C-alpha cells in the first residue's frame, strides 16, 4: 500500500529554553497541500515550534519528521522555504539589490561557495517573476516599499523551488493593500507550485478566510482543524491558554479529562 508521509509530523514534542516549558506535548501533522494558519497570542511558542521544525533548535523531547525524515537527519533544506518574522522591516541602508537578496536563497540547494550557473540565474528570474518583481531586480531592496520588500523575501524563499513554505507573521508592518496582494500571491503559488504552506499570524480574522486548516497554539496545541469549526471568536485561542479551558471542559465533560 502506498501511503503519503505528512510533510511535517510533530510527535509529543516538548521544549523549554530554561526550566519552564514553552511547548508542552505538541502533536501536529501537516499534510501535503495543506494551507495551515498557525495562530496564538504573543509568546505562545509559535516561532519556537517553527524553529524546531526548521532544525534551528534541537528537538530534546519527542520527535519531528520532515517529509518522513527525522529533522536532525534531514538534509534536503531546499525543500523548505522560510520567511522569518520581520523580514519586511528591512534595514533600509543595506546595500543589496533585489536580485542579490533573492540569490542568497540558493545556498540551500547549491552550497555557499559554488559559482552561479545559468540555471541559478533562471531560478532567480522565475522566483522574481512569480512575485511580480522582475522589473525591480536591479533596485536596492532598501528603496522598496514594505510590501515589495516582503515579496523579495518570499522570492528568496521560493528560489530553491521548495515544496513547503513557512511564513512567520508575514503581514506585520505592511499596509492593507499589500496584505491583500500577499494573500492573492500565496493563493496563486499554491495553485502553480502545489506548495504546502504554513502561515503564522495572530490576525485570525484575516487568515480564517484564506487557510484550509487552523492550528491554535498556546504552549499546548488546543486546536487543529477546519477554520469553520473553530468558531468566530477572535480571542478564543488566547483564552484557551487560561480560564476558558476549564470552562469549556466543564461544559463538555466528554472532552475533558474526567470523562
Ligand atoms: P511566539 O512566536 O508565539 O510569540 P515564541 O516562540 O517567540 O512565541 O516565544 C515563546 C516563549 O519563549 C516566550 O515566553 C519567549 O519569551 C520565550 N523565548 C523565545 N525565544 C527565547 C530564547 N531565545 N531564550 C529564552 N526564551 C525565549
Amino acid at each position: 500500500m502506498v501511503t503519503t508521509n505528512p510533510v511535517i509530523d510533530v510527535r509529543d514534542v516538548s521544549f523549554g529554553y530554561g526550566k519552564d516549558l514553552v511547548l508542552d506535548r505538541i502533536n501536529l501533522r501537516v499534510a501535503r497541500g495543506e494551507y495551515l494558519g498557525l495562530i496564538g497570542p504573543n509568546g505562545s511558542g509559535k516561532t519556537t515550534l517553527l524553529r524546531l521544525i526548521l532544525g534551528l533548535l534541537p528537538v530534546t523531547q519527542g520527535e519531528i519528521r520532515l517529509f518522513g525524515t527525522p529533522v536532525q537527519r534531514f538534509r534536503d533544506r531546499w525543500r523548505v522555504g522560510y520567511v522569518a518574522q520581520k523580514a519586511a522591516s528591512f534595514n533600509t541602508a543595506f546595500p543589496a539589490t533585489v536580485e542579490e537578496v533573492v540569490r542568497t536563497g540558493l545556498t540551500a540547494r547549491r552550497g555557499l561557495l559554488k559559482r552561479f550557473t545559468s540555471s541559478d540565474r533562471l531560478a532567480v528570474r522565475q522566483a522574481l517573476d512569480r512575485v511580480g518583481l522582475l522589473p525591480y531586480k536591479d533596485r536596492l531592496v532598501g528603496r522598496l516599499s514594505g510590501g515589495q520588500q516582503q515579496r523579495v523575501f518570499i522570492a528568496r524563499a521560493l528560489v530553491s523551488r521548495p515544496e513547503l513554505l513557512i511564513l512567520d507573521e508575514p503581514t506585520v508592518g505592511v499596509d492593507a493593500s499589500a496584505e491583500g496582494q500577499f494573500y492573492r500571491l500565496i493563493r496563486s503559488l499554491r495553485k502553480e507550485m502545489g506548495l504546502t504552506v504554513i502561515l503564522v499570524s495572530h490576525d485570525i480574522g484575516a487568515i480564517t478566510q484564506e487557510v484550509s486548516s487552523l492550528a491554535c497554539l498556546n504552549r499546548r496545541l488546543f486546536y487543529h482543524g477546519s477554520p469553520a469549526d473553530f468558531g468566530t471568536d477572535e480571542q478564543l485561542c488566547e483564552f484557551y491558554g487560561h480560564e476558558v479551558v476549564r470552562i469549556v471542559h466543564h461544559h463538555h465533560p466528554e472532552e475533558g479529562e474526567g470523562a
Side-chain angles (χ1 to χ4, degrees):
M1 198 177 83
V2 180
T3 53
T4 315
N5 282 321
V7 171
I8 298 172
D9 193 356
V10 177
R11 294 186 201 169
D12 274 325
V13 165
S14 296
F15 185 85
Y17 294 96
K19 65 176 169 46
D20 295 331
L21 287 183
V22 168
L23 296 171
D24 187 4
R25 286 163 294 156
I26 305 296
N27 284 283
L28 176 68
R29 287 174 160 224
V30 181
R32 197 170 293 269
E34 191 168 331
Y35 185 2
L36 175 71
L38 178 60
I39 59 165
N42 277 335
S44 58
K46 302 183 296 296
T47 302
T48 302
L49 180 58
L50 294 190
R51 291 179 67 81
L52 287 164
I53 289 170
L54 291 160
L56 302 172
L57 285 170
V59 178
T60 48
Q61 280 181 63
E63 186 184 45
I64 298 181
R65 287 175 178 261
L66 275 176
F67 300 96
T69 304
V71 66
Q72 58 275 21
R73 285 201 273 117
F74 185 77
R75 295 290 171 266
D76 296 335
R77 293 275 151 223
W78 60 269
R79 294 176 82 178
V80 186
Y82 177 48
V83 182
Q85 212 169 354
K86 300 193 184 77
S89 50
F90 194 71
N91 177 0
T92 49
F94 194 68
T97 67
V98 168
E99 187 172 29
E100 284 164 351
V101 170
V102 173
R103 211 189 270 165
T104 61
L106 280 169
T107 53
R109 189 154 214 160
R110 40 171 292 296
L112 201 55
L113 297 171
K114 294 208 191 88
R115 276 176 191 282
F116 288 100
T117 63
S118 57
S119 89
D120 290 341
R121 273 188 286 276
L122 182 65
V124 170
R125 289 179 72 88
Q126 281 175 342
L128 281 170
D129 196 31
R130 279 189 200 287
V131 304
L133 285 181
L134 195 51
Y136 295 80
K137 73 181 179 55
D138 298 320
R139 298 271 184 98
L140 289 175
V141 176
R143 295 272 167 82
L144 302 181
S145 72
Q148 289 170 328
Q149 289 179 1
Q150 176 199 54
R151 282 187 281 141
V152 172
F153 285 94
I154 294 171
R156 180 181 184 272
L158 292 176
V159 73
S160 65
R161 301 192 183 94
E163 294 160 52
L164 167 66
L165 180 63
I166 298 179
L167 304 128
D168 195 352
E169 301 270 16
T171 54
V172 168
V174 303
D175 64 26
S177 89
E179 191 177 324
Q181 199 172 16
F182 165 79
Y183 287 121
R184 281 196 297 281
L185 172 62
I186 301 300
R187 259 181 256 152
S188 76
L189 293 176
R190 289 186 67 223
K191 211 156 108 189
E192 289 163 20
M193 302 174 72
L195 278 175
T196 305
V197 177
I198 299 183
L199 179 59
V200 172
S201 179
H202 50 234
D203 188 1
I204 169 174
I207 66 164
T208 46
Q209 311 293 321
E210 298 290 331
V211 295
S212 64
S213 66
L214 204 59
C216 156
L217 185 70
N218 198 348
R219 194 167 55 92
R220 290 173 52 200
L221 193 75
F222 286 100
Y223 183 82
H224 180 205
S226 121
D229 293 339
F230 184 66
T232 52
D233 187 340
E234 295 188 14
Q235 302 301 319
L236 204 55
C237 190
E238 190 146 5
F239 288 152
Y240 261 132
H242 312 293
E243 294 304 301
V244 169
V245 179
R246 280 193 277 129
I247 297 166
V248 170
H249 281 180
H250 185 73
H251 288 300
H252 300 280
E254 71 278 7
E255 293 169 21
E257 291 165 353

